Amino acid sequence: MPKVKKAVIPAAGLGTRVLPASKSMPKEMLPIVDKPAIQYIVEEAVAAGIEDILIITNRGKGVIEDHFDHSVELEQRLEASGKFDMLKQVQELSHLANIQFIRQRETNGLGHAVGCAKAFVGNDPFAVLYGDDVIISEDPVCGQLCRVYEEFGKSVVGIKSVSPEQIVRYCSLAVSPVRDNVFSVSDMIEKPAPDKILSLYSILGRCVLTPDIFDILDQTKPGAGGEIQLTDAMRQQAVAGNMMGVDFIGKRYDMGNKLGILQANCEVALKHPELKDGFKAYLQELVKTF
Ligand code: UTP
């Protein structure tokens, strides 16, 4: 199978669960300690061997483009003041990958957002990394999925078991084990009623799709919430026997909800070389007070 070289990062959602923070600042730009969420996601894709990235944005998300662009004035200032470490970081950011942007003109759902990538993707397999799902792992999760695509030649979804309370808000999958953490996926249902739950396995934040998904998306009618659901299109690949699942190794942070943002900041800070000692001492003192 060809190697996966392209990735799509949908980042055009309204982020209503993190309002008012996301009113004029895209939730994908909210920081985890010292980097915006979407930078972790781009770095994950690059570490997995992705060369071309398309970020789906919309009105008001121009700061995402600015973040990955050159900043001549800033770079000159850092050089003049001898801040060479920071200069290197800022320069590396604009050379991370070949990053392109396209606007989703209406916020019609994740399936519609991915559909905007049709011309960019062409006839190649491609990874999708949800712009508000940061997953920290030694072995980039995007790469874990790409390897399974390269082995089986089918679409691959990143899966995790969630709680019975969560599954009714997520997508429930019918899975059968293939080996260790690899499954075949034969069906899925978005936001299932309790008696329609297929399993507690759900898709979390990452997939690799074969390009036939675009023809399916073209035919996909609005589903849950009146939006074009990516999972409704993926379901067709699953029932046709063309989908695998990987119970990935990695810690996922949902940057689309407030608790997820706090957990990400807390846990990343506790591992950050400059901050971990001071932050840990601060937390240890703080917990004594409540
Ligand atoms: P979500 O459903 O979590 O994002 O989509 P949302 O719509 O912003 O969430 P609410 O408003 O808090 O409920 C997952 C990913 O898909 C993108 C989002 O930006 C997010 O990264 N997305 C979603 C799009 O690009 N376009 C859409 O129409 C919907």
Side-chain angles (χ1 to χ4, degrees):
M1 285 302 145
K3 287 219 177 285
V4 182
K5 295 283 178 199
K6 292 180 179 172
V8 173
I9 303 179
L14 296 177
T16 54
R17 286 167 295 147
V18 285
L19 281 169
S22 54
K23 184 170 176 238
S24 60
M25 171 61 73
K27 63 177 168 178
E28 296 81 6
M29 284 298 290
L30 294 175
I32 302 177
V33 183
D34 53 3
K35 286 194 283 192
I38 197 160
Q39 186 178 334
Y40 288 85
I41 296 170
V42 167
E43 287 173 350
E44 177 195 326
V46 171
I50 298 293
E51 293 172 357
D52 295 304
I53 296 175
L54 180 72
I55 302 182
I56 318 276
T57 64
N58 64 8
R59 235 169 290 113
K61 300 226 180 187
V63 287
I64 299 180
E65 296 185 36
D66 294 345
H67 185 70
F68 292 103
D69 197 1
H70 279 288
S71 175
V72 178
E73 201 188 338
L74 176 65
E75 289 174 27
Q76 283 171 349
R77 183 69 62 89
L78 290 172
E79 189 163 17
S81 54
K83 294 183 175 160
F84 296 112
D85 276 359
M86 192 48 71
L87 175 66
K88 189 164 168 276
Q89 281 190 44
V90 168
Q91 286 175 332
E92 279 172 0
L93 194 48
S94 51
H95 292 113
L96 268 178
N98 173 23
I99 304 180
Q100 303 175 39
F101 299 87
I102 194 169
R103 285 189 177 202
Q104 182 188 16
R105 290 183 193 284
E106 284 170 82
T107 317
N108 281 344
L110 184 56
H112 181 259
V114 170
C116 298
K118 188 174 183 171
F120 165 82
V121 167
N123 211 20
D124 298 316
F126 65 106
V128 181
L129 298 91
Y130 301 10
D132 57 356
D133 269 320
V134 170
I135 309 180
I136 309 268
S137 177
E138 294 261 305
D139 179 13
V141 172
C142 178
Q144 295 176 38
L145 271 58
C146 290
R147 293 198 294 271
V148 173
Y149 164 77
E150 284 153 22
E151 185 180 346
F152 293 89
K154 299 177 179 182
S155 287
V156 185
V157 286
I159 65 174
K160 280 273 163 218
S161 186
V162 301
S163 68
E165 295 73 39
Q166 286 173 313
I167 197 71
V168 292
R169 292 181 279 114
Y170 287 43
C171 175
S172 170
L173 306 178
V175 297
S176 27
V178 172
R179 62 169 154 77
D180 23 299
N181 62 339
V182 180
F183 296 78
S184 67
V185 179
S186 56
D187 203 355
M188 60 182 74
I189 176 168
E190 186 69 36
K191 301 188 177 48
D195 61 332
K196 295 276 186 314
I197 292 169
L198 299 169
S199 78
L200 293 180
Y201 272 113
S202 189
I203 302 171
L204 294 186
R206 300 288 180 270
C207 53
V208 171
L209 296 172
T210 51
D212 55 303
I213 197 76
F214 292 108
D215 288 340
I216 305 173
L217 278 169
D218 283 344
Q219 307 297 322
T220 303
K221 303 262 178 305
E227 297 188 328
I228 310 275
Q229 296 288 346
L230 182 59
T231 44
D232 287 344
M234 285 172 166
R235 180 173 182 270
Q236 293 204 31
Q237 294 186 327
V239 294
N242 291 326
M243 183 160 286
M244 307 299 293
V246 178
D247 187 348
F248 59 78
I249 298 158
K251 182 75 201 279
R252 168 191 177 250
Y253 300 102
D254 180 0
M255 295 296 286
N257 88 58
K258 294 172 192 177
L259 185 59
I261 296 169
L262 291 172
Q263 287 166 337
N265 274 285
C266 204
E267 292 182 32
V268 171
L270 285 170
K271 292 189 185 131
H272 193 286
E274 276 168 42
L275 299 170
K276 60 182 180 189
D277 295 337
F279 187 58
K280 190 172 171 190
Y282 163 73
L283 282 184
Q284 281 168 335
E285 280 308 305
L286 187 68
V287 288
K288 290 181 194 158
T289 66
F290 53 86

